[in-house]
């Protein structure tokens, strides 16, 4: 088994690919940060549901039920993009938190107070690493 250098990029790519292939459910190896991102995606209505399966193996799995528009069958996530990469980290302070699609999208940040959306970080007055943009 090969070691993944950027697990978050892998996570986002699996969601993107599953949506392109019109899958209903996608399985992703779990980690604490991925679980937090998954909770945010559900909270913001980008995915239908999720389930953390910890008993499968040591690492565990995240099962994500993808969300599509009922009539047009278009995915709820139009774009999901990695911002901060292992080779080039992107940080922002509480004053310069990026707005995604003029506030319509969500930037997910990893802060000292945990993983949160751009708006939560603004409210709490914390900055951090910009993990990804979703809209």
């Amino acid at each position: 088994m090969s070691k993944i250098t950027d697990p978050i990029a892998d996570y986002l790519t699996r969601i993107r690919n599953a949506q392109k292939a019109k899958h209903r459910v996608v399985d992703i190896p779990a980690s604490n940060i991925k679980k937090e991102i998954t909770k945010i995606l559900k909270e913001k209505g980008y995915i239908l549901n999720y389930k953390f399966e910890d008993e499968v193996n040591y690492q565990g799995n995240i099962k994500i039920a993808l969300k599509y528009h009922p009539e047009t069958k278009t995915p709820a996530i139009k774009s999901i993009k990695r911002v901060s990469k292992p080779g080039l980290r992107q940080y922002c302070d509480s004053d310069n938190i990026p707005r995604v699609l003029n506030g319509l999208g969500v930037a997910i940040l990893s802060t000292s107070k945990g993983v949160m959306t751009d708006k939560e970080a603004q409210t709490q007055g914390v900055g951090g690493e910009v993990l990804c943009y979703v809209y």
Side-chain angles (χ1 to χ4, degrees), residues 2-95:
S2 64
K3 182 97 178 82
I4 300 166
T5 50
D6 188 359
I8 295 168
D10 174 67
Y11 169 89
L12 301 176
T13 301
R14 284 175 192 241
I15 291 176
R16 209 179 299 119
N17 291 346
Q19 282 194 328
K20 277 199 178 116
K22 300 263 188 268
H23 288 303
R24 290 201 176 287
V25 178
V26 59
D27 264 339
I28 301 167
S31 76
N32 289 340
I33 198 156
K34 290 181 198 170
K35 287 180 181 179
E36 292 304 313
I37 294 172
T38 305
K39 286 177 190 166
I40 291 173
L41 290 177
K42 167 78 171 113
E43 197 178 286
K44 297 294 169 199
Y46 288 111
I47 59 176
L48 272 178
N49 218 333
Y50 61 86
K51 191 164 110 198
F52 300 143
E53 298 176 330
D54 296 324
E55 71 285 332
V56 180
N57 54 17
Y58 177 68
Q59 188 181 14
N61 244 339
I62 306 173
K63 262 195 189 322
I64 298 177
L66 297 171
K67 191 174 182 179
Y68 297 96
H69 190 278
E71 283 100 47
T72 60
K73 303 281 184 266
T74 53
I77 301 172
K78 306 254 180 302
S79 166
I80 185 163
K81 197 171 107 213
R82 182 77 160 117
V83 178
S84 186
K85 300 176 173 71
L88 182 63
R89 298 278 182 204
Q90 298 288 337
Y91 295 98
C92 64
D93 53 26
S94 55
D95 306 327

Side-chain angles (χ1 to χ4, degrees), residues 115-130:
V115 178
M116 59 181 74
T117 65
D118 46 359
K119 291 173 185 69
E120 287 168 46
Q122 207 117 41
T123 311
Q124 294 191 20
V126 292
E129 184 183 345
V130 185

